Amino acid sequence: MPGGFFIYHADEEERLIYANQALFQIYGCENLKEFQVYTGYTFHGLVHPEDVEAARQSIRQQIFTHGNDLDHVEYHIIRKDGAVRWIGDYGHFVHSNRYGNLFYVFVEDATEKHLKEIDDAETAQLAQERLEALEALEHETTALKLVHEILCSGM
C-alpha cells in the first residue's frame, strides 16, 4: 500500500491498533518497536505538539458536519531525525461492536506540496508588491511630467 496507514481508538487515549511499514518510514523509524517507542503508539504522538489540538478540532468538526465522509486534515510531524514535515491525513470514523469507535487513516507526506504553495504565495506576493511599486512610479512620473510642463510653460 503506498503511503502510511494506521488505525486508532477514537477515545481519550487515542491508542493505535495498527500501523504499516510505510508509516514507520515517514517517521524515520526502522521497525514497529522503534516506531512505538518514538510515538508512544498514539495519534497525538504522531502529530507535532503545536498541531495536536487543531488536528483534533478539524477532525471532530468534519465528522459532525459530513458524517461518514472521509475527513482531511494537514499537520506537521517531527521525524525521528528531527526533520519537520507536513502530513496529509485522510481519515474515516467508524463504530465497531468489537473495538468501539475507531479511525482508519491514510497519510501521505505533503511537505513538497506545502513548499510549492508557500513558494507560489511568496511569488504572488512579490508580483503584487512589484505591481504596486510600478503603479506608484507611474503616478510619480505623471506628477513629474505635469510639474515639468507647468515650469516649462511659465518660462
Side-chain angles (χ1 to χ4, degrees):
M1 172 186 308
F5 175 73
F6 61 98
I7 303 169
Y8 72 98
H9 290 282
D11 60 17
E12 286 296 315
E13 290 185 27
E14 300 175 319
R15 306 265 333 132
L16 272 64
I17 297 170
Y18 173 81
N20 72 352
Q21 183 69 36
L23 189 67
F24 308 160
Q25 292 170 351
I26 288 171
Y27 282 82
C29 296
E30 296 289 325
N31 55 50
L32 175 61
K33 187 69 175 165
E34 186 177 6
F35 180 75
Q36 288 172 327
V37 169
Y38 181 67
T39 64
Y41 215 53
T42 63
F43 174 72
H44 61 269
L46 302 178
V47 181
H48 191 292
E50 294 175 5
D51 291 352
V52 170
E53 193 52 40
R56 285 178 180 153
Q57 287 284 63
S58 178
I59 292 166
R60 281 193 292 260
Q61 180 62 38
Q62 290 180 64
I63 291 169
F64 178 75
T65 305
H66 303 293
N68 289 330
D69 294 344
L70 202 62
D71 65 75
H72 176 256
V73 64
E74 292 186 350
Y75 48 81
H76 290 96
I77 66 163
I78 304 172
R79 288 176 39 95
K80 189 170 184 236
D81 62 9
V84 176
R85 308 287 291 178
W86 277 99
I87 290 292
D89 171 317
Y90 302 87
H92 183 68
F93 174 80
V94 296
H95 176 77
S96 160
N97 288 332
R98 184 173 185 180
Y99 297 104
N101 294 332
L102 303 172
F103 279 108
Y104 290 83
V105 183
F106 297 89
V107 296
E108 64 182 352
D109 187 327
T111 306
E112 298 307 318
K113 181 183 108 179
H114 270 275
L115 292 176
K116 182 177 179 342
E117 288 173 359
I118 290 168
D119 189 43
D120 289 350
E122 288 174 354
T123 300
Q125 177 65 30
L126 184 57
Q128 181 63 33
E129 289 171 3
R130 286 185 179 167
L131 179 61
E132 290 170 3
L134 285 173
E135 289 172 352
L137 183 59
E138 184 179 331
H139 290 303
E140 289 177 22
T141 303
T142 302
L144 286 173
K145 284 180 184 177
L146 183 59
V147 168
H148 184 287
E149 289 176 13
I150 292 170
L151 291 176
C152 289
S153 66
M155 294 186 169

